[in-house]
Amino acid sequence: MFTIKNHLEIRNAHLIIGKVDTTVLAERYGTPLYVTNESRIVENFMAYRKAFPEADIYYAAKANGSFAILRILAREGAGADVFSYGELYMALLAGIPHEKLLFNGNSKTDFELKKAVELGVKVSVDSRDELHTLSEIAQKAGKDVEIAFRVNPDVSTKTHPKISTGLRTSKFGIPSEEVVSIYREASVLPGISPTGIHCHIGSQILDTAPFREATHKMMDLVEKVAALGIELKFVDMGSGLGIPYKKDGTQTPEPQDHADAILPVFEERTKALGISPKLILEPGRYIVGDTTILLAHVNTVKKAAKNFVGVDAGFNLLIRPTMYDSYHYAVVANKAASPPGETYTIVGPICETGDILAHDRALPRIEKGDLIALLDAGAYGFSMSSQYNGRPRCAEVLVKNGEAEVIRSAEDVGDLMAKQRLPSWLV
Ligand code: LLP
């Protein structure tokens, strides 16, 4: 059985989230259903807050951009890392102030840059080309825009190659050896104030050593930039920690370990330089990953080459297992106290062989109508969902103090048609 992390428990053989019975939620709202526990979001955010009392925490909105979740974090005082105008728009609407936002991205449109300038949002610039476009846009608007450069610190991380971003060959960032020259260039460009430096080495990192290495490398760059006479006001070190999806008891680092790994380096190096830039971190997964479960009903059980359990959620709603071979712990939510009876492979309804949510899991005996919960679905779950195979997206529910409320209604077939038009000759 999984290690119960605060907000998940088993009562009367049912899986409970935030004091609410998942079988009651499934009955009331139908499945598939994303269920998020508010108090766990706050706990996770506070863990980062407490470990880094002097830093600003810019929640990575891409992890879960649902409006209620952005609003909860806004109220806790989070800033946000936004990667599109859509994320920027939602973050501002949720109440995150413009001065606590960083507009990231390796391929922003001119429209997005204009919006950042207009709204007074800092921009993380990813190329020389972008720098010049932004300078022109800021000049035309008669404004000065604060920028950081996203730098590529060339740090290797033990994570899935598709989410490792700080390697030399990744599409992100300015190569380290060009950093000094680009700051020099930026410092004389009209409309541009180079005030920060930014990196992000990858996601789902469960070892603090790469974060420490990246801090050393970033501080080397800060020192070189300082030698140009540019005093940086912020150093943004990117993502937060990964989370223990497997529940096999392996000890994984917590925000305090993250802080112990990087703060001594950051503090020592800034002190030596006689500067006091603000440290910024952009955790996404750690804040929301374990706050949410995806509930799905069993449509069919089939004995073939494997014991296949067909549920009503597939990679249309949770693409991580298909895309990154990710592991999400599965619980039979209505039989959560029963011992394992068989080995099952849980599959979705999508017309693709790769639509597998969980491979070869020892679970209680499963039959049609049972309720499966996939844990740790809060980060890059709903936010990466699609309508593939003509499947409207499901609802999201938020639980707080034992009460549940819908924070996003389920789509229906009308939503599949909402933006479609026939050309005149087909009407
Ligand atoms: N900052 C930047 C610039 C990022 O690109 C990301 C994530 C983060 C912060 C947040 O990283 P976190 O704290 O969540 O590790 N879809 C993948 C993960 C993609 C991560 C993209 N960037 C997954 O499901 O594992």
Side-chain angles (χ1 to χ4, degrees), residues 206-224:
L206 286 171
D207 171 10
T208 57
F211 289 117
R212 191 177 172 88
E213 185 189 341
T215 311
H216 274 296
K217 290 191 167 175
M218 288 291 278
M219 292 315 297
D220 290 345
L221 294 172
V222 171
E223 192 171 335
K224 288 184 182 158

Side-chain angles (χ1 to χ4, degrees), residues 60 62-63 81 83 104 150 162-163 165 172 198-200 202-205 238-242 245 282-286 320 324 326 379-380 384:
K62 72 209 79 174
D81 138 39
F83 225 81
N104 284 320
R150 164 82 177 256
K162 282 190 188 145
I163 54 174
T165 47
F172 297 104
H198 176 216
C199 76
H200 164 67
S203 193
Q204 184 52 13
I205 298 171
S239 74
L241 292 165
Y245 286 99
E282 303 174 336
R285 190 188 312 267
Y286 187 91
R320 302 193 66 257
Y324 318 107
S326 309
Y380 312 105
M384 293 180 79

Side-chain angles (χ1 to χ4, degrees), residues 24-33 35 395 397-398 403-406 410:
V24 172
L25 291 171
E27 176 78 13
R28 192 184 302 159
Y29 302 106
T31 61
L33 184 70
V35 185
V397 156
L398 186 71
E403 300 290 329
E405 271 191 64
V406 173

